[in-house]
Amino acid sequence: MGLLSQPAYLPEQSGPVADKKYRNLRWQVFLGAFIAYAGFYLVRKNFSMAMPFMEQFGFEKGEFGIVLAMNALAYAASRLIMGPVSDRSNARVFLPLGLVCAALSMCFMIVPVAYIHNHALSIVIMCILNALVGWFNGMGYPPCTRVITHWFSQTERGTMSSIWNCSHNIGGALVGPMAVYGAMWFGNWFYGNAQDMYFLVGTFVFPSVVAVLIAIVTYLLVRDTPQSQGLCSIEKFKNDYPSNYSEKSEERLSVKEILGRYIFPNKLLWFVCLADAFIFMVRYGCLDWAPTYLTEVHGFDIKNAGWAYFAYEFAAIPGTLLCGWLSDKAFKGRRALLNIIYTVLAALFVFLYWKLGSTPALAISFLICIGFFIYGPIMLLAVQAMDLVPKNAAGAAVGLIGFCTYLLGTAILANTVLGFVVGRFGWNTNFIVVLFGCLVAIVFMAMTMRHEK
């Protein structure tokens, strides 16, 4: 599409003025990618926030599960397909376009919930809309990683990716407060005295409007590549050339060349994808099942279980930042060894959580440690995937890794397999399977170490 076509490369500038422009644009583009990805998380999981209030309309939990599944499946497919598309598109347009479409899809969720009185038709429309939300959310990650790859050199990407990766924690954390205050501030405007309808504004409309405003700011901040601004490549600017760098990295490639030459035949990239899938099994195997496990096995009330859930997610921020900094400064861009160290420590605290997390203080402490260590490899494996391909195939690389993690790691392993294991064999077997997932992830991480040397 002409709308998404990459801008032409401008004649290269040089000298102090060009250097200053380069330094300023790097931070401007990074800020745009940061707030854009936070914006995507404002309109991603809102349906989950609204579910407790939707039962008054006659919807059932089983129907909610179907709607949620459509989001996950569409997101996984989008990450796979939109990755190579983003590599051939203008990130300045592609990124906010995806955010606007996701926001509109989420905003219209109020229609089947409150205004369509045919129950079956409401469910069908909710499934379609939530699938669209998932699909358009898949347009967020690939262009952001592509921007970071083009504007920051290989020895900077670990640190910058770790900072950028915190944006989804911030965006996800804001969904709850926005649902509350959006209903308080604007519910009366839409529904007058019908207070049982206010949640529709807080969970669907208010976050969507904010996301559209963020998309506008994103368009103003983001630029596609340095060359589109008349600047040299980042490798030349930083004098930081990776061993696999060539001039081919600066050319526009066809989708066939991206997938057929750099993605599908790349066995190291597949090792990274499989490692990340099992890391996601551990991530969601602990996170999604924590409230159920703590209430059923240790008798926690909903308040303590909720704080444990929050602590797990919040610990991701310092853990991710430290992991990114260590990978650049201490490990000099060698990601695999640090991933293994983090995963071993995560496995240790999973074991302690299983055996010793019988009180709220201990359970929350161990979940903090698991969250601290498990999110580091999640971020760093994506950076490693970017390192394993030329810059002009980075979006496709993270698209493939996203497809594997959300389909295999989350939907199949963490949700389906672990759900079956818990139901059939109990919690002890569940933790054995999670620890086995850590071991499998470590094996695949180790297979990439020789290449990094």
Side-chain angles (χ1 to χ4, degrees), residues 303-341:
K303 179 181 178 181
N304 285 325
W307 276 114
Y309 190 99
F310 170 81
Y312 182 94
E313 282 282 4
F314 188 78
I317 296 176
T320 301
L321 292 173
L322 178 62
C323 186
W325 181 84
L326 287 173
S327 74
D328 285 341
K329 303 303 180 182
F331 289 80
K332 306 300 182 183
R334 291 176 57 190
R335 323 291 185 191
L337 180 58
L338 184 58
N339 279 333
I340 291 173
I341 293 172

Side-chain angles (χ1 to χ4, degrees), residues 5 16 34 42 169 179 221 288 307 388 394 441:
S5 297
F34 187 95
L42 294 179
N169 297 104
L221 293 177
D288 287 353
W307 276 114
L388 289 171

